[in-house]
Amino acid sequence: MSEKENDLVIERMLTLSTTHIDPNVLDRMNDGVPIGCIYDTKDVTGFMIPVIQPPDEWEYKKAPLCIQAALDLALRHQCGYILFDGDGPQTSELPVYEHDE
């Protein structure tokens, strides 16, 4: 998940489009409603989620399925964080949800 280079710790981050978040879940996140996993608001178009390894089973199961799928993908690629960004890339490895503009 991270590399040490001298006194630096460099983390891997998976950047994904917010279209990989179910619109109902995204609305709750935008409103600041807890969704069962820890996240920080990046800005109005994105969210940063730490990927804990091994995952905390209790917190993981409380997360919506779309977030669980993204966490699974991030763990497979040894990432320390997920950045959901409104302008981020889509991947064929996750469902894509239609969002109202």
Side-chain angles (χ1 to χ4, degrees):
M1 275 193 14
S2 63
E3 299 176 23
K4 284 201 172 194
E5 189 174 299
N6 298 327
D7 59 347
L8 301 175
V9 176
I10 301 168
E11 296 281 340
R12 292 172 55 101
M13 180 175 68
L14 175 63
T15 302
L16 295 170
S17 170
T18 53
T19 60
H20 293 299
I21 302 175
D22 178 293
N24 296 321
V25 173
L26 186 59
D27 286 345
R28 289 176 23 217
M29 291 171 76
N30 283 328
D31 290 341
V33 176
I35 59 163
C37 66
I38 301 167
Y39 68 88
D40 294 316
T41 302
K42 175 185 157 267
D43 58 29
V44 293
T45 63
F47 300 90
M48 178 81 73
I49 299 177
V51 178
I52 299 167
Q53 202 171 31
D56 180 326
E57 202 63 31
W58 184 74
E59 288 293 326
Y60 175 86
K61 288 182 178 179
K62 287 178 24 182
L65 293 177
C66 59
I67 302 297
Q68 288 181 20
L71 287 168
D72 290 341
L73 181 62
L75 283 167
R76 282 198 310 275
H77 291 279
Q78 300 176 335
C79 296
Y81 294 91
I82 302 171
L83 172 62
F84 284 105
D85 191 305
D87 296 324
Q90 289 184 348
T91 176
S92 61
E93 295 187 53
L94 294 173
V96 175
Y97 299 91
E98 194 167 315
H99 293 253
D100 295 332
E101 292 297 321

